[in-house]
Amino acid sequence: MKKIIVIILVAFIIIQFFPIDKTNPAPTPGMDFLKIKNTPENIAHTFRTSCYDCHSNETKYPWYSSIAPTSWWVKNHIDEGRKHLNFSTFAVYEPKRQLHKLEECIEMVEKKEMPLESYYIGHQDAKLSDEQRADLVLYFKKIKEDTERKIMFSK
């Protein structure tokens, strides 16, 4: 039993020498969703608190992201989140893709699938109240309608 504990401890120490890359891509204000959509500050605050760590290039890495293997799990979530939807580069999406992403945002927030439950463990402030969820959904719907109008008039 003592040998097993020593082996686990040594393995834990060794994996600490394989840190994750915590470098965020350079800011792109001209492409950022909050900037290009002139998002009201109360909605922008909710975005930054509940969405931007995983869905932007403005990730604020928590203390536990320095400890492997948790760091690997956190980095994977961030990479997957950015791959699926990156608010920092929203302007580069084609209008139809923007529409699709907005529809997904509406659905995920309404169904309480975002933010992920696991995210709340280290981010209690990210929990959305029913009022915040309703505000986000209403905002996403407004932006979606504006985007649809732009597509119609560009034809």
Side-chain angles (χ1 to χ4, degrees):
M1 184 66 169
K2 206 175 197 182
K3 254 186 183 176
I4 293 172
I5 292 173
V6 169
I7 290 170
I8 291 172
L9 185 59
V10 168
F12 180 76
I13 291 168
I14 289 171
I15 67 173
Q16 301 314 307
F17 290 99
F18 300 95
I20 61 170
D21 178 11
K22 294 184 185 178
T23 308
N24 284 326
T28 51
M31 292 190 274
D32 186 81
F33 180 86
L34 298 179
K35 300 283 185 216
I36 64 172
K37 302 301 182 185
N38 297 316
T39 307
E41 190 48 46
N42 64 319
I43 299 289
H45 176 75
T46 302
F47 265 91
R48 285 188 197 97
T49 305
S50 300
C51 310
Y52 263 47
D53 272 348
C54 294
H55 293 286
S56 81
N57 295 338
E58 299 177 29
T59 303
K60 293 180 183 105
Y61 289 90
W63 65 269
Y64 53 85
S65 66
S66 297
I67 303 168
T70 307
S71 59
W72 304 336
W73 180 73
V74 168
K75 182 64 173 165
N76 182 57
H77 270 276
I78 292 165
D79 290 347
E80 288 296 313
R82 285 178 182 166
K83 186 172 84 174
H84 188 68
L85 169 63
N86 190 334
F87 287 115
S88 292
T89 58
F90 196 81
V92 301
Y93 295 163
E94 293 293 323
K96 286 186 179 184
R97 185 170 183 213
Q98 287 184 13
L99 275 178
H100 178 70
K101 293 300 175 186
L102 290 164
E103 289 167 356
E104 287 180 336
C105 288
I106 292 166
E107 181 182 343
M108 298 298 256
V109 172
E110 280 181 332
K111 291 182 174 181
K112 298 183 178 183
E113 292 179 15
M114 282 288 156
L116 296 174
E117 285 288 326
S118 60
Y119 185 67
Y120 297 145
I121 294 168
H123 304 88
Q124 287 297 309
D125 58 335
K127 279 191 177 182
L128 297 173
S129 67
D130 289 340
E131 181 182 345
Q132 287 172 311
R133 280 189 188 282
D135 289 347
L136 276 178
V137 167
L138 191 63
Y139 183 70
F140 283 133
K141 286 180 179 179
K142 177 193 174 301
I143 298 301
K144 182 178 172 266
E145 288 172 10
D146 292 347
T147 306
E148 287 170 333
R149 262 191 239 103
K150 286 178 185 173
I151 291 172
M152 281 179 34
F153 289 118
S154 69
K155 289 183 178 181

